[in-house]
Coordinates of all heavy atoms in Angstrom, one line a residue:
M1 N 103.2 84.6 131.6 CA 104.0 85.7 132.0 C 105.1 85.2 132.9 O 104.9 84.6 133.9 CB 103.1 86.7 132.7 CG 103.6 88.1 132.8 SD 102.4 89.3 133.2 CE 102.0 88.9 134.9
I2 N 106.3 85.5 132.5 CA 107.5 85.0 133.2 C 108.3 86.2 133.8 O 108.5 87.2 133.1 CB 108.4 84.2 132.3 CG1 107.6 82.9 131.8 CG2 109.7 83.7 133.0 CD1 108.4 82.2 130.7
L3 N 108.8 86.0 135.0 CA 109.8 86.9 135.6 C 111.2 86.3 135.4 O 111.5 85.3 135.9 CB 109.5 87.1 137.1 CG 110.5 88.1 137.8 CD1 110.4 89.5 137.3 CD2 110.1 88.0 139.3
H4 N 112.0 87.0 134.6 CA 113.4 86.6 134.3 C 114.3 87.3 135.3 O 114.3 88.6 135.2 CB 113.7 86.8 132.9 CG 112.9 86.1 131.9 ND1 113.2 84.9 131.4 CD2 111.7 86.5 131.3 CE1 112.3 84.5 130.5 NE2 111.4 85.5 130.4
K5 N 115.0 86.6 136.1 CA 115.9 87.3 137.0 C 117.4 87.0 136.6 O 117.8 85.9 136.5 CB 115.7 86.7 138.4 CG 116.5 87.4 139.5 CD 116.2 86.8 140.9 CE 117.0 87.5 142.0 NZ 118.4 87.2 141.9
I6 N 118.1 88.1 136.5 CA 119.5 88.1 136.1 C 120.3 88.8 137.3 O 119.9 89.8 137.7 CB 119.8 88.9 134.8 CG1 118.9 88.5 133.7 CG2 121.3 88.7 134.4 CD1 119.1 87.1 133.1
Q7 N 121.4 88.1 137.7 CA 122.2 88.8 138.8 C 123.6 88.9 138.5 O 124.4 89.4 139.3 CB 122.0 88.0 140.1 CG 122.3 86.6 140.1 CD 121.9 85.9 141.3 OE1 120.9 86.2 142.0 NE2 122.7 84.9 141.7
T8 N 124.0 88.5 137.3 CA 125.5 88.6 136.9 C 125.6 89.6 135.8 O 124.7 89.8 134.9 CB 126.0 87.3 136.4 OG1 125.2 86.8 135.4 CG2 126.1 86.2 137.6
S9 N 126.7 90.3 135.8 CA 127.1 91.3 134.8 C 127.2 90.6 133.4 O 127.7 89.5 133.4 CB 128.4 92.0 135.2 OG 128.9 92.7 134.1
P10 N 126.8 91.3 132.4 CA 127.1 90.7 131.0 C 128.6 90.5 130.8 O 128.9 89.7 129.9 CB 126.5 91.8 130.1 CG 125.7 92.7 130.9 CD 126.1 92.6 132.3
A11 N 129.4 91.2 131.5 CA 130.9 91.0 131.3 C 131.3 89.7 132.0 O 132.4 89.1 131.6 CB 131.6 92.2 131.9
Q12 N 130.5 89.2 132.9 CA 130.9 87.9 133.6 C 130.4 86.7 132.9 O 131.1 85.7 133.0 CB 130.2 87.9 135.0 CG 130.8 88.9 136.0 CD 130.0 89.0 137.3 OE1 128.9 89.3 137.3 NE2 130.7 88.6 138.4
D13 N 129.2 86.7 132.4 CA 128.7 85.5 131.6 C 127.7 85.9 130.6 O 127.4 87.1 130.4 CB 128.2 84.5 132.6 CG 127.0 84.9 133.4 OD1 126.2 85.8 132.9 OD2 126.7 84.4 134.5
N14 N 127.0 85.0 130.0 CA 126.1 85.3 128.9 C 124.6 85.1 129.3 O 123.7 85.0 128.5 CB 126.4 84.4 127.7 CG 126.2 82.9 128.0 OD1 126.0 82.5 129.1 ND2 126.2 82.1 126.9
A15 N 124.3 85.2 130.6 CA 123.0 85.0 131.1 C 122.0 86.0 130.5 O 120.9 85.6 130.1 CB 123.0 85.1 132.7
L16 N 122.4 87.3 130.5 CA 121.5 88.3 129.9 C 121.2 88.1 128.4 O 120.1 88.1 128.0 CB 122.0 89.7 130.2 CG 121.1 90.9 129.8 CD1 119.7 90.8 130.4 CD2 121.8 92.2 130.1
S17 N 122.3 87.9 127.7 CA 122.1 87.7 126.2 C 121.3 86.4 126.0 O 120.4 86.4 125.0 CB 123.4 87.7 125.5 OG 124.2 86.6 126.0
T18 N 121.5 85.4 126.7 CA 120.7 84.1 126.5 C 119.2 84.4 126.9 O 118.3 84.0 126.2 CB 121.3 83.0 127.4 OG1 122.6 82.8 127.1 CG2 120.5 81.7 127.2
C19 N 119.0 85.1 128.0 CA 117.6 85.4 128.4 C 116.9 86.2 127.3 O 115.7 85.9 127.0 CB 117.7 86.2 129.7 SG 116.1 86.9 130.2
L20 N 117.6 87.1 126.7 CA 116.9 88.0 125.7 C 116.5 87.2 124.5 O 115.6 87.6 123.7 CB 117.8 89.1 125.3 CG 118.1 90.2 126.4 CD1 119.0 91.3 125.9 CD2 116.8 90.7 127.0
R21 N 117.1 86.0 124.2 CA 116.7 85.2 123.1 C 115.3 84.6 123.4 O 114.6 84.2 122.4 CB 117.7 84.1 122.9 CG 118.9 84.6 122.2 CD 119.8 83.4 121.8 NE 121.1 83.6 122.4 CZ 121.9 82.7 122.7 NH1 121.6 81.4 122.5 NH2 123.1 83.0 123.3
Y22 N 114.9 84.4 124.6 CA 113.7 83.7 125.0 C 112.6 84.6 125.6 O 111.5 84.1 125.7 CB 114.0 82.6 126.0 CG 115.0 81.6 125.4 CD1 116.3 81.6 125.7 CD2 114.5 80.6 124.5 CE1 117.2 80.7 125.1 CE2 115.4 79.7 123.9 CZ 116.8 79.7 124.3 OH 117.6 78.8 123.7
I23 N 112.9 85.8 125.9 CA 111.9 86.6 126.6 C 110.8 87.1 125.7 O 111.1 87.3 124.5 CB 112.6 87.9 127.3 CG1 111.8 88.5 128.4 CG2 113.1 88.9 126.2 CD1 112.5 89.4 129.3
D24 N 109.6 87.1 126.2 CA 108.4 87.6 125.4 C 108.0 89.0 125.8 O 108.4 89.4 126.9 CB 107.2 86.6 125.6 CG 107.4 85.3 124.9 OD1 108.0 85.3 123.8 OD2 106.9 84.3 125.4
K25 N 107.2 89.6 125.0 CA 106.7 91.0 125.3 C 106.1 91.1 126.6 O 106.2 92.1 127.3 CB 105.8 91.4 124.2 CG 106.4 91.6 122.9 CD 105.4 92.0 121.8 CE 106.0 92.1 120.5 NZ 105.0 92.4 119.4
Q26 N 105.3 90.1 127.1 CA 104.6 90.2 128.3 C 105.4 89.8 129.5 O 105.0 90.0 130.7 CB 103.3 89.4 128.3 CG 103.5 87.9 128.3 CD 103.7 87.3 127.0 OE1 104.0 87.9 126.0 NE2 103.7 85.9 126.9
D27 N 106.6 89.4 129.3 CA 107.5 89.0 130.4 C 108.2 90.2 131.0 O 108.1 91.3 130.5 CB 108.6 88.1 129.9 CG 108.1 86.7 129.5 OD1 106.9 86.4 129.8 OD2 108.9 85.9 128.8
T28 N 108.7 90.0 132.2 CA 109.4 91.1 132.9 C 110.9 90.6 133.2 O 111.1 89.4 133.5 CB 108.7 91.4 134.3 OG1 107.4 91.7 134.0 CG2 109.4 92.5 135.0
L29 N 111.8 91.5 133.1 CA 113.2 91.3 133.4 C 113.6 92.0 134.7 O 113.3 93.2 134.9 CB 114.1 91.8 132.3 CG 115.6 91.6 132.5 CD1 116.0 90.1 132.5 CD2 116.3 92.3 131.3
L30 N 114.1 91.2 135.7 CA 114.5 91.8 137.0 C 116.1 91.7 137.0 O 116.6 90.6 136.9 CB 113.9 91.1 138.1 CG 114.5 91.5 139.5 CD1 114.1 92.9 139.9 CD2 114.1 90.5 140.6
L31 N 116.7 92.8 137.1 CA 118.2 92.9 137.2 C 118.5 93.1 138.7 O 118.0 94.1 139.3 CB 118.7 94.0 136.4 CG 118.5 93.9 134.9 CD1 119.0 95.0 134.1 CD2 119.0 92.6 134.3
S32 N 119.4 92.3 139.2 CA 119.9 92.5 140.6 C 121.4 92.3 140.6 O 122.0 91.9 139.6 CB 119.2 91.5 141.5 OG 119.6 90.2 141.2
G33 N 122.0 92.6 141.7 CA 123.5 92.4 141.8 C 124.2 93.1 140.7 O 123.9 94.2 140.4
N34 N 125.3 92.4 140.2 CA 126.1 93.0 139.1 C 125.4 93.2 137.8 O 125.9 93.9 136.9 CB 127.4 92.2 139.0 CG 128.3 92.4 140.1 OD1 128.3 93.5 140.8 ND2 129.1 91.4 140.4
A35 N 124.2 92.6 137.6 CA 123.5 92.7 136.4 C 123.0 94.1 136.1 O 122.9 94.5 134.9 CB 122.3 91.7 136.4
I36 N 122.9 94.9 137.1 CA 122.5 96.3 136.9 C 123.5 97.1 136.1 O 123.2 98.1 135.5 CB 122.1 97.0 138.2 CG1 123.3 97.2 139.1 CG2 120.9 96.3 138.9 CD1 123.0 98.1 140.3
N37 N 124.7 96.6 136.1 CA 125.8 97.3 135.3 C 125.5 97.3 133.9 O 125.9 98.2 133.1 CB 127.1 96.6 135.6 CG 127.6 96.8 137.0 OD1 127.3 97.7 137.7 ND2 128.4 95.8 137.5
A38 N 124.6 96.4 133.4 CA 124.3 96.4 132.0 C 123.5 97.7 131.6 O 123.7 98.2 130.5 CB 123.4 95.2 131.7
L39 N 122.8 98.3 132.5 CA 122.1 99.5 132.3 C 123.0 100.8 132.1 O 122.5 101.8 131.8 CB 121.0 99.7 133.4 CG 120.0 98.6 133.6 CD1 119.2 98.9 134.8 CD2 119.2 98.4 132.3
L40 N 124.2 100.6 132.4 CA 125.2 101.7 132.2 C 125.8 101.7 130.8 O 126.4 102.7 130.4 CB 126.3 101.6 133.3 CG 125.9 101.6 134.7 CD1 127.1 101.3 135.6 CD2 125.2 102.9 135.1
L41 N 125.5 100.7 130.1 CA 126.1 100.5 128.7 C 125.1 100.8 127.6 O 124.0 100.2 127.7 CB 126.8 99.1 128.6 CG 127.8 98.8 129.6 CD1 128.2 97.3 129.5 CD2 129.0 99.7 129.5
T42 N 125.4 101.6 126.7 CA 124.5 102.0 125.6 C 124.0 100.8 124.8 O 122.8 100.7 124.5 CB 125.2 103.0 124.6 OG1 125.6 104.1 125.4 CG2 124.2 103.4 123.6
C43 N 124.9 99.8 124.5 CA 124.5 98.7 123.8 C 123.4 97.9 124.5 O 122.4 97.4 123.8 CB 125.6 97.8 123.4 SG 126.5 97.0 124.8
W44 N 123.5 97.7 125.8 CA 122.5 97.0 126.5 C 121.2 97.8 126.7 O 120.1 97.3 126.8 CB 123.0 96.5 127.9 CG 124.0 95.3 127.7 CD1 125.3 95.4 127.8 CD2 123.6 94.0 127.3 NE1 125.9 94.2 127.5 CE2 124.8 93.3 127.2 CE3 122.4 93.4 127.0 CZ2 124.9 92.0 126.8 CZ3 122.5 92.0 126.6 CH2 123.7 91.3 126.5
K45 N 121.3 99.1 126.9 CA 120.2 100.0 127.1 C 119.3 99.8 125.8 O 118.0 99.7 125.9 CB 120.6 101.4 127.2 CG 121.1 101.8 128.6 CD 121.3 103.3 128.5 CE 122.1 103.8 129.7 NZ 122.3 105.2 129.7
K46 N 119.9 99.8 124.7 CA 119.1 99.6 123.4 C 118.4 98.3 123.4 O 117.2 98.2 123.0 CB 120.1 99.7 122.2 CG 120.3 101.0 121.7 CD 121.2 100.9 120.4 CE 121.1 102.2 119.6 NZ 121.9 102.1 118.4
K47 N 119.1 97.2 123.7 CA 118.5 95.9 123.7 C 117.4 95.7 124.7 O 116.5 94.9 124.5 CB 119.6 94.8 124.0 CG 120.6 94.7 122.9 CD 121.7 93.7 123.2 CE 122.8 93.7 122.1 NZ 123.8 92.8 122.4
L48 N 117.4 96.5 125.8 CA 116.4 96.3 126.8 C 115.3 97.4 126.7 O 114.4 97.3 127.5 CB 117.1 96.5 128.2 CG 118.2 95.4 128.5 CD1 118.9 95.7 129.8 CD2 117.6 94.0 128.6
S49 N 115.4 98.2 125.8 CA 114.4 99.4 125.7 C 113.0 98.9 125.4 O 112.1 99.6 125.8 CB 114.9 100.3 124.6 OG 114.8 99.7 123.3
Q50 N 112.8 97.8 124.8 CA 111.4 97.3 124.5 C 110.9 96.3 125.5 O 109.9 95.7 125.3 CB 111.4 96.7 123.1 CG 111.8 97.7 122.0 CD 110.9 98.9 122.0 OE1 109.7 98.8 122.0 NE2 111.5 100.1 121.9
I51 N 111.6 96.1 126.6 CA 111.3 95.1 127.6 C 111.0 95.8 129.0 O 111.6 96.9 129.3 CB 112.5 94.2 127.9 CG1 112.8 93.4 126.6 CG2 112.3 93.2 129.0 CD1 114.1 92.7 126.6
T52 N 110.1 95.2 129.7 CA 109.8 95.8 131.1 C 110.9 95.4 132.0 O 111.2 94.2 132.2 CB 108.5 95.2 131.6 OG1 107.4 95.5 130.7 CG2 108.2 95.7 133.0
V53 N 111.7 96.3 132.5 CA 112.8 96.1 133.3 C 112.6 96.6 134.7 O 112.2 97.8 134.9 CB 114.1 96.8 132.7 CG1 115.3 96.6 133.6 CG2 114.4 96.2 131.3
L54 N 112.8 95.8 135.7 CA 112.8 96.1 137.1 C 114.2 96.0 137.7 O 115.0 95.1 137.2 CB 111.9 95.3 137.9 CG 110.4 95.2 137.4 CD1 109.6 94.2 138.2 CD2 109.8 96.6 137.6
V55 N 114.6 96.8 138.6 CA 115.9 96.7 139.2 C 115.7 96.8 140.8 O 114.9 97.5 141.3 CB 116.8 97.9 138.8 CG1 118.2 97.8 139.3 CG2 116.7 98.1 137.3
L56 N 116.5 95.9 141.5 CA 116.4 95.9 142.9 C 117.0 97.2 143.5 O 118.1 97.6 143.2 CB 117.1 94.7 143.5 CG 116.3 93.4 143.5 CD1 117.1 92.3 144.1 CD2 115.0 93.6 144.3
K57 N 116.1 97.9 144.2 CA 116.5 99.2 144.8 C 117.8 99.2 145.6 O 118.7 100.0 145.5 CB 115.3 99.7 145.6 CG 115.5 101.1 146.2 CD 114.2 101.4 147.0 CE 114.0 102.9 147.1 NZ 112.7 103.1 147.7
E58 N 117.9 98.1 146.5 CA 119.0 98.0 147.4 C 120.3 97.9 146.6 O 121.4 98.4 147.0 CB 118.8 96.8 148.3 CG 117.8 97.0 149.4 CD 116.4 96.8 148.9 OE1 116.1 96.5 147.7 OE2 115.5 96.8 149.7
D59 N 120.3 97.2 145.4 CA 121.5 97.0 144.6 C 121.9 98.3 143.9 O 123.1 98.6 143.8 CB 121.3 95.9 143.6 CG 121.2 94.5 144.3 OD1 121.8 94.4 145.4 OD2 120.6 93.6 143.7
I60 N 120.9 99.1 143.5 CA 121.2 100.4 143.0 C 121.9 101.3 144.0 O 122.9 102.0 143.8 CB 119.9 101.1 142.4 CG1 119.5 100.4 141.2 CG2 120.2 102.6 142.1 CD1 118.1 100.9 140.6
E61 N 121.3 101.4 145.2 CA 121.8 102.2 146.3 C 123.2 101.7 146.7 O 124.1 102.6 147.0 CB 120.8 102.2 147.5 CG 119.5 102.9 147.2 CD 118.5 102.7 148.2 OE1 118.7 101.9 149.2 OE2 117.4 103.4 148.2
A62 N 123.4 100.4 146.8 CA 124.7 99.9 147.2 C 125.8 100.3 146.3 O 127.0 100.5 146.7 CB 124.6 98.4 147.3
R63 N 125.5 100.5 145.0 CA 126.5 100.9 144.0 C 126.5 102.4 143.8 O 127.2 102.9 142.9 CB 126.2 100.2 142.7 CG 126.6 98.7 142.9 CD 125.9 97.8 141.8 NE 126.3 96.4 141.9 CZ 125.8 95.6 142.8 NH1 124.9 96.0 143.7 NH2 126.2 94.3 142.9
G64 N 125.7 103.2 144.5 CA 125.6 104.6 144.3 C 125.1 105.1 142.9 O 125.6 106.1 142.4
L65 N 124.2 104.3 142.4 CA 123.7 104.6 141.0 C 122.3 105.1 141.0 O 121.7 105.1 139.9 CB 123.8 103.3 140.1 CG 125.2 102.7 139.9 CD1 125.2 101.4 139.2 CD2 126.1 103.7 139.1
D66 N 121.8 105.6 142.1 CA 120.5 106.1 142.2 C 120.1 107.1 141.1 O 119.1 106.9 140.4 CB 120.2 106.8 143.5 CG 120.6 105.9 144.7 OD1 121.7 105.4 144.8 OD2 119.7 105.8 145.6
E67 N 120.9 108.1 140.9 CA 120.6 109.1 139.9 C 120.9 108.7 138.5 O 120.1 109.0 137.6 CB 121.4 110.4 140.2 CG 121.0 111.1 141.5 CD 121.6 112.4 141.7 OE1 122.0 113.0 140.7 OE2 121.7 112.8 142.8
R68 N 121.9 107.8 138.3 CA 122.2 107.4 136.9 C 121.1 106.4 136.4 O 121.0 106.3 135.2 CB 123.6 106.7 136.8 CG 124.7 107.8 137.0 CD 126.0 107.2 136.8 NE 126.2 106.8 135.4 CZ 127.3 106.1 135.0 NH1 128.2 105.7 135.9 NH2 127.4 105.7 133.7
L69 N 120.5 105.7 137.3 CA 119.5 104.7 136.8 C 118.1 105.0 137.3 O 117.2 104.1 137.3 CB 119.9 103.3 137.4 CG 121.3 102.8 136.9 CD1 121.5 101.4 137.6 CD2 121.3 102.7 135.4
N70 N 117.8 106.3 137.5 CA 116.5 106.7 138.0 C 115.3 106.5 137.0 O 114.2 106.6 137.3 CB 116.5 108.1 138.6 CG 116.8 109.1 137.6 OD1 117.0 108.9 136.4 ND2 117.0 110.4 138.1
Q71 N 115.7 106.3 135.7 CA 114.6 106.1 134.7 C 114.1 104.7 134.7 O 113.1 104.4 134.0 CB 115.1 106.5 133.3 CG 116.1 105.5 132.7 CD 117.6 105.8 133.0 OE1 117.9 106.4 134.1 NE2 118.5 105.5 132.2
Y72 N 114.7 103.8 135.5 CA 114.2 102.4 135.6 C 113.4 102.2 136.8 O 113.6 102.9 137.8 CB 115.4 101.4 135.6 CG 116.2 101.5 134.3 CD1 117.3 102.3 134.2 CD2 115.7 100.8 133.1 CE1 118.0 102.3 133.0 CE2 116.4 100.9 132.0 CZ 117.5 101.6 131.9 OH 118.2 101.7 130.7
S73 N 112.4 101.3 136.8 CA 111.6 101.0 137.9 C 112.4 100.2 138.9 O 112.8 99.1 138.7 CB 110.4 100.2 137.5 OG 109.6 100.9 136.6
S74 N 112.6 100.8 140.1 CA 113.3 100.1 141.1 C 112.3 99.6 142.2 O 111.3 100.2 142.5 CB 114.4 101.0 141.8 OG 113.7 102.1 142.4
I75 N 112.6 98.4 142.6 CA 111.7 97.7 143.6 C 112.5 97.2 144.8 O 113.6 96.9 144.7 CB 110.9 96.6 142.9 CG1 111.8 95.5 142.4 CG2 110.0 97.1 141.8 CD1 111.1 94.2 142.0
S76 N 111.7 97.1 145.9 CA 112.3 96.6 147.1 C 112.3 95.1 147.1 O 111.6 94.5 146.2 CB 111.6 97.1 148.4 OG 110.2 96.5 148.3
Y77 N 112.9 94.4 148.1 CA 112.8 93.0 148.2 C 111.4 92.5 148.4 O 110.9 91.5 147.9 CB 113.7 92.4 149.3 CG 115.2 92.4 148.9 CD1 116.1 93.3 149.4 CD2 115.6 91.5 148.0 CE1 117.4 93.2 149.1 CE2 117.0 91.4 147.6 CZ 117.8 92.3 148.1 OH 119.2 92.3 147.8
E78 N 110.6 93.3 149.2 CA 109.2 92.9 149.4 C 108.4 93.0 148.1 O 107.6 92.1 147.8 CB 108.6 93.9 150.4 CG 109.1 93.7 151.8 CD 109.2 94.9 152.6 OE1 108.8 96.0 152.1 OE2 109.6 94.8 153.8
Q79 N 108.7 94.0 147.3 CA 108.0 94.1 146.0 C 108.5 93.0 145.0 O 107.7 92.5 144.2 CB 108.3 95.5 145.3 CG 107.6 96.6 146.1 CD 108.1 98.0 145.6 OE1 109.3 98.2 145.6 NE2 107.2 98.8 145.3
F80 N 109.7 92.6 145.2 CA 110.2 91.4 144.4 C 109.4 90.2 144.7 O 109.0 89.4 143.8 CB 111.7 91.2 144.7 CG 112.3 89.9 144.2 CD1 112.1 89.5 142.9 CD2 113.1 89.2 145.0 CE1 112.6 88.3 142.4 CE2 113.6 88.0 144.6 CZ 113.4 87.5 143.3
V81 N 109.2 89.9 146.0 CA 108.4 88.8 146.3 C 107.0 88.9 145.7 O 106.4 87.9 145.2 CB 108.2 88.7 147.9 CG1 107.2 87.6 148.3 CG2 109.6 88.4 148.5
Q82 N 106.4 90.1 145.7 CA 105.1 90.3 145.1 C 105.1 90.0 143.6 O 104.2 89.4 143.0 CB 104.6 91.7 145.3 CG 104.2 92.0 146.8 CD 103.2 91.0 147.3 OE1 102.2 90.7 146.7 NE2 103.5 90.5 148.5
E83 N 106.2 90.4 142.9 CA 106.4 90.1 141.5 C 106.5 88.6 141.2 O 105.9 88.1 140.2 CB 107.6 90.8 140.9 CG 107.5 92.3 140.8 CD 106.4 92.7 139.8 OE1 106.3 92.1 138.7 OE2 105.7 93.7 140.1
T84 N 107.1 87.9 142.1 CA 107.2 86.4 141.9 C 105.8 85.8 142.0 O 105.6 84.8 141.3 CB 108.2 85.7 142.9 OG1 107.7 85.9 144.2 CG2 109.6 86.3 142.8
L85 N 105.0 86.3 142.8 CA 103.6 85.8 143.0 C 102.7 86.2 141.8 O 101.8 85.5 141.5 CB 103.0 86.3 144.3 CG 103.7 85.8 145.6 CD1 103.1 86.5 146.8 CD2 103.7 84.3 145.7
R86 N 103.0 87.4 141.3 CA 102.2 87.9 140.2 C 102.5 87.2 138.8 O 101.6 87.0 138.0 CB 102.5 89.4 140.0 CG 101.5 90.1 139.1 CD 101.8 91.6 139.1 NE 103.0 92.0 138.5 CZ 103.1 92.2 137.2 NH1 102.1 92.0 136.4 NH2 104.3 92.6 136.7
H87 N 103.7 86.7 138.7 CA 104.1 86.0 137.4 C 103.8 84.5 137.6 O 103.9 83.9 138.7 CB 105.6 86.3 137.1 CG 105.8 87.7 136.7 ND1 105.9 88.7 137.6 CD2 106.0 88.2 135.5 CE1 106.1 89.8 136.9 NE2 106.2 89.5 135.6
E88 N 103.6 83.9 136.4 CA 103.3 82.4 136.4 C 104.5 81.6 136.8 O 104.4 80.5 137.3 CB 102.8 82.0 135.1 CG 101.4 82.7 134.7 CD 101.1 82.5 133.3 OE1 101.7 81.7 132.6 OE2 100.1 83.1 132.8
K89 N 105.7 82.1 136.4 CA 106.9 81.4 136.5 C 108.1 82.4 136.7 O 108.0 83.5 136.2 CB 107.2 80.6 135.2 CG 108.4 79.7 135.3 CD 108.7 79.1 133.9 CE 107.7 78.0 133.5 NZ 108.1 77.3 132.3
V90 N 109.1 81.9 137.5 CA 110.3 82.7 137.7 C 111.5 81.9 137.2 O 111.6 80.8 137.5 CB 110.5 83.1 139.2 CG1 111.8 83.9 139.3 CG2 109.3 83.9 139.7
I91 N 112.3 82.5 136.3 CA 113.5 81.9 135.8 C 114.7 82.7 136.3 O 114.8 83.9 135.9 CB 113.5 81.7 134.3 CG1 112.3 80.9 133.8 CG2 114.8 81.1 133.8 CD1 112.2 80.8 132.3
S92 N 115.6 82.1 137.0 CA 116.9 82.7 137.3 C 117.9 82.3 136.4 O 118.2 81.1 136.2 CB 117.3 82.4 138.8 OG 116.4 82.9 139.7
W93 N 118.5 83.2 135.7 CA 119.6 82.9 134.7 C 120.9 82.9 135.3 O 121.2 83.7 136.1 CB 119.5 83.8 133.5 CG 118.2 83.7 132.8 CD1 117.0 84.3 133.1 CD2 117.9 82.9 131.6 NE1 116.0 84.0 132.2 CE2 116.6 83.1 131.3 CE3 118.7 82.1 130.9 CZ2 116.0 82.5 130.2 CZ3 118.1 81.4 129.8 CH2 116.7 81.6 129.4

């Protein structure tokens, strides 16, 4: 079980698309920083619909996207640390 962490927008680089080539069903995807912008685009919502997606709460709030992204599981930094301990490996893309 791997925690995949993306922090750049899909418009900035190919980290998210590369990650999706390697992610397994039991893995978790954590979006932080500008990566949460992917959840605003229909094409990325479709690609991520079958994956467990977590989003850092502070990044959603900082961008004023609380209501637009309320269907995703948002976690605090403390919960992020717990997720890193729960998963066998963490990969930052």
Side-chain angles (χ1 to χ4, degrees):
M1 200 164 67
I2 299 173
L3 177 63
H4 299 270
K5 183 179 182 293
I6 310 285
Q7 58 188 31
T8 55
S9 167
Q12 291 175 295
D13 65 25
N14 65 351
L16 183 55
S17 60
T18 302
C19 171
L20 293 181
R21 284 189 237 153
Y22 299 101
I23 199 164
D24 286 329
K25 292 178 187 176
Q26 72 275 10
D27 292 349
T28 302
L29 178 65
L30 173 67
L31 300 177
S32 64
N34 289 331
I36 66 171
N37 294 330
L39 301 175
L40 301 173
L41 303 171
T42 305
C43 63
W44 286 107
K45 282 185 196 180
K46 273 184 159 179
K47 292 177 184 179
L48 299 174
S49 65
Q50 301 300 314
I51 297 171
T52 302
V53 177
L54 301 174
V55 186
L56 279 178
K57 185 182 209 173
E58 287 83 355
D59 291 334
I60 290 175
E61 291 171 352
R63 288 161 179 77
L65 297 172
D66 305 54
E67 290 189 26
R68 288 187 69 189
L69 300 179
N70 63 3
Q71 71 271 28
Y72 296 97
S73 298
S74 62
I75 61 171
S76 66
Y77 282 109
E78 291 149 356
Q79 291 168 310
F80 167 50
V81 171
Q82 292 303 313
E83 288 295 321
T84 63
L85 298 172
R86 192 173 71 82
H87 288 78
E88 297 168 11
K89 186 188 286 188
V90 178
I91 300 175
S92 293
W93 295 86

